Amino acid sequence: MAAWGKRLAGVRGVLLDISGVLYDGGEDGGAPIRGSVEAVARLKQSRLKVRFCTNESQKSRQELVGLLRRQGFDISEGEVTAPAPATSLILKERGLRPHLLVHDGVRSEFGQIDTSNPNCVVIADAGEGFSYQNMNKAFRVLMELEKPVLISLGKGRYYKETSGLMLDVGAYMKALEYACGIEAEVVGKPSPEYFQSALKEMGVEAHEAIMIGDDIVGDVGGAQRCGMRALQVRTGKFSLLLSAVARH
């Protein structure tokens, strides 16, 4: 206990991943991970500031929060940093008109964005939407641009649902990078700008915060590179073998 007290000294804010930390998703809505509802409630009752930092890109922030609240979590939309709303702001600021390769569940986040005559591609976890035809359409849009812009909502390799492991957006992002000879702009973990935006919303400095997640690269590694402390939980897609490989 003394060792943990020393490690957590000066912490004023906690960033929580959602998928694999609070709940495992699934076609039926998924299920909360044992003890997670109670853990969030205890954090909320403490003096610590709490923010939820997710790469979820199959659901709108409203839908995700509604799902979690039905499972018993104390959470509101204003407490969630998610890549789709952040990407929407970037598109507006830069005057970008995206070709969207995204899941239908998150399209509402781009409802106010002009998608005519696209000058960039936005890719997210499209699930079954990752067909050859859809990937090839995104490829063609990029190849026809003088300065192709590919924006990816996160770059995770995979995540865990109640039915098992699921391939994530990172694999498809890499395919388009390779085919087009470009590098994607990542909005989401482990992007430093993404973590900084969450910290700004919390009103704490990086050295005063700790990130809790199940992804050794996106959650733990990304947070540590921003000067935060980080803790990997042994739920979700946690793997002793993969965690050891990622550290070396």
Side-chain angles (χ1 to χ4, degrees), residues 37 43 60 115 121 126-127 139 146 150 183 187 191 200 216 238 244:
V37 172
L43 283 172
S60 68
T115 57
V121 168
F139 163 72
E146 183 179 351
L150 172 62
E183 184 174 346
V187 180
S191 164
K200 184 178 180 180
I216 192 66
F238 169 80

Side-chain angles (χ1 to χ4, degrees), residues 87-96 109 112-113:
T87 300
S88 182
L89 286 175
I90 290 171
L91 295 172
K92 290 178 181 178
E93 290 171 356
R94 293 167 56 181
L96 293 172
E109 298 282 14
Q112 303 302 312
I113 300 297

